[in-house]
Amino acid sequence: MLESIYAYLDQNEIFTSTTILHYWSGLTVTVQLVFLSLVLGFILSVPLAVARTSKNPWINRPVWIYVYIFRGTPLLIQLYLIYYGVATIEGIQQSMFWAVVEDAFYPCLFAFVLNTAAYTTEILRGAMVATPVGEIEAGKAYGMSRFTILRRIILPSSFRRALPAYSNEVIFMLHASSIASVVTIIDLTGAARDIYARFYAPFDAFLFVAAIYLCLTFAIVYGFKRLEHRWHRHLRPLES
């Protein structure tokens, strides 16, 4: 099997060691971008989801506006506005922030973080609202404060309920990360575009990168299935 693969790589002109390394470089950029976006977005979404469930309109309404804007507009438009728009702000090129803004990775990361945080905020908010009243009343009966109830009852159970929906958000971010190539980032899609431009072989270049995305998606689905199986083991019937 391996010998046939090596023989194919030696005979073909497209999938050489150089192009495979180019795909590998794009894969590392994609994984870094998606991983950092999801981690930072999740950290940002937890307090926003708590604020979103507040009955105080001065706390709830600004978060609702943010979520509505970023869920109601295309991610590509958000990326364009952040990448090209920030660069046109007067004085930004002479400031200390220009070193960050001129690198396409960071504006792209910022756009992805804001977008996934908006979706994750709404996912967590729905899970928090669905917390059974009996669990909250039990916490009050034990004399827990609001913060303790939030930390020990509402958030842990909300994370379990939100897990299936959040897995879809993770897959969505993986697929959406392909638009990073439009702002000069050489991710997986950018690497495939480079290979296509060099060899004029669209099927070879893009089908190969599609297979990589498919493998990453299967890995994410499997990981979340295992995590869901572990977190929901208390709901499974006891074995006799």
Side-chain angles (χ1 to χ4, degrees):
M1 180 66 179
L2 291 177
E3 293 179 357
S4 60
I5 294 176
Y6 290 144
Y8 173 76
L9 291 177
D10 291 337
Q11 295 174 2
N12 82 96
E13 297 179 353
I14 299 178
F15 295 107
T16 62
S17 58
T18 302
T19 57
I20 295 298
L21 288 176
H22 195 52
Y23 276 118
W24 176 258
S25 177
L27 175 62
T28 57
V29 173
T30 295
V31 171
Q32 289 175 1
L33 189 59
V34 173
F35 177 77
L36 291 175
S37 300
L38 291 171
V39 170
L40 296 176
F42 187 84
I43 294 174
L44 179 62
S45 67
V46 173
L48 290 178
V50 174
R52 183 77 174 83
T53 59
S54 174
K55 296 181 180 179
N56 188 338
W58 293 100
I59 299 176
N60 187 342
R61 189 58 60 176
V63 180
W64 179 85
I65 293 173
Y66 156 71
V67 171
Y68 183 82
I69 291 175
F70 278 87
R71 292 180 69 207
T73 56
L75 177 56
L76 181 60
I77 302 300
Q78 299 166 18
L79 179 58
Y80 279 153
L81 288 174
I82 293 175
Y83 180 69
Y84 294 110
V86 173
T88 62
I89 298 176
E90 186 176 355
I92 189 67
Q93 297 186 17
Q94 291 76 33
S95 68
M96 62 180 181
F97 299 105
W98 180 244
V100 176
V101 174
E102 68 175 346
D103 187 349
F105 183 86
Y106 296 104
C108 186
L109 176 63
F110 187 59
F112 285 3
V113 168
L114 292 179
N115 184 271
T116 188
Y119 281 92
T120 308
T121 295
E122 202 61 19
I123 291 172
L124 292 179
R125 183 203 67 84
M128 293 171 66
V129 171
T131 303
V133 179
E135 295 182 6
I136 300 176
E137 293 296 332
K140 292 180 179 179
Y142 273 98
M144 296 182 181
S145 63
R146 290 185 177 181
F147 178 76
T148 304
I149 292 175
L150 176 67
R151 180 174 60 88
R152 301 188 63 180
I153 297 177
I154 297 178
L155 286 180
S157 62
S158 298
F159 291 155
R160 287 195 295 268
R161 284 190 296 273
L163 195 61
Y166 185 67
S167 65
N168 292 331
E169 170 60 17
V170 173
I171 295 173
F172 168 79
M173 279 307 304
L174 172 64
H175 296 167
S177 68
S178 61
I179 69 172
S181 60
V182 303
V183 290
T184 71
I185 294 178
I186 306 301
D187 62 339
L188 273 173
T189 306
R193 190 171 58 185
D194 290 345
I195 303 302
Y196 160 67
R198 180 178 178 182
F199 297 100
Y200 297 100
F203 287 104
D204 301 77
F206 290 107
L207 284 176
F208 182 73
V209 81
I212 297 176
Y213 277 114
L214 194 63
C215 292
L216 292 175
T217 301
F218 281 147
I220 291 172
V221 171
Y222 176 78
F224 272 97
K225 286 293 184 183
R226 295 296 300 174
L227 186 60
E228 187 176 351
H229 181 78
R230 178 179 178 83
W231 280 12
H232 292 171
R233 63 181 181 273
H234 63 286
L235 300 177
R236 298 195 300 269
L238 297 176
E239 297 181 358
S240 55

